[in-house]
Amino acid sequence: MSHDIREKMWKAMADSPIVMLGLTDSNEHREPMHAQLDKDANSAFWFYTTKTNRNAGGGKAMAQFASKDHKVFACIAGTLVEETDPDIIDKYWSKHVSAWYKDGRKDATLKMLRFDLDEAEIWEADADFSAKVSVTFGGKVKPEEMGEHDKVNL
């Protein structure tokens, strides 16, 4: 199950790579961030941000994810570190990213963070037929009828 649910999470994130990101040692609210995903690097993803962003200092962090169809949910733990490799910074650069920075790729406030992933807790909310019938007619539903749930290493 772990491999299947992990693959469902990556597929859902590829469709809508927005997460709520925050440092675990901070009382700051989490904020929506656009994850830059790489199909060949499923142990990390990246964020363009600014040097003054609340997450810019890096450290232990968590990202919460909900798929567009609300069938896959994940809480992803890892560590934010500054990405300094110019090839990586250029690799994900786009017109969409450039719109956020006055001086584009050369903007003095630009900072890229790499999220080195440790583990995720993933839920797939996909009720089976018996659960749908129970809900429709006022019956009781068992948690295992509502979909999968697992903790996975990334």
Side-chain angles (χ1 to χ4, degrees), residues 5 18 27 42 61 63 87 89 93 100-101 110 113 120 124 130 133 146:
I5 201 166
I18 307 299
N27 289 327
N42 66 2
D87 291 337
I89 297 168
W93 194 259
W100 289 91
Y101 300 94
L110 175 66
L113 295 171
E124 181 189 19
S130 63
V133 170
M146 293 306 294

Side-chain angles (χ1 to χ4, degrees), residues 7 9-11 13-15 17 34-47 83 85 87-92 112 114-115 117:
E7 292 305 313
M9 179 194 81
W10 283 115
K11 184 176 180 191
M13 285 188 74
D15 190 38
H34 187 279
Q36 305 296 321
L37 305 177
D38 184 335
K39 66 180 178 65
D40 297 322
N42 66 2
S43 61
F45 46 82
W46 293 262
F47 301 101
E83 180 61 72
D85 182 343
D87 291 337
I88 296 293
I89 297 168
D90 289 341
K91 179 178 182 176
Y92 299 107
M112 186 176 225
R114 183 180 68 245
F115 193 30
L117 309 177

Side-chain angles (χ1 to χ4, degrees), residues 4 18 21 28-30 33 43 50-51 57 64 69 71 75 84-86 100 114 118 121 124 150:
D4 290 342
I18 307 299
L21 180 69
E28 294 272 355
H29 289 282
R30 287 14 186 180
M33 299 285 286
S43 61
T50 62
K51 293 175 181 174
Q64 286 76 32
D69 63 3
K71 289 189 176 186
C75 183
T84 58
D85 182 343
W100 289 91
R114 183 180 68 245
D118 294 328
E121 191 162 359
E124 181 189 19
D150 204 358

Side-chain angles (χ1 to χ4, degrees), residues 56-85:
K60 292 291 185 184
M62 285 205 148
Q64 286 76 32
F65 169 75
S67 65
K68 287 193 312 188
D69 63 3
H70 295 156
K71 289 189 176 186
V72 178
F73 301 87
C75 183
I76 306 164
T79 305
L80 284 170
V81 295
E82 183 173 9
E83 180 61 72
T84 58
D85 182 343

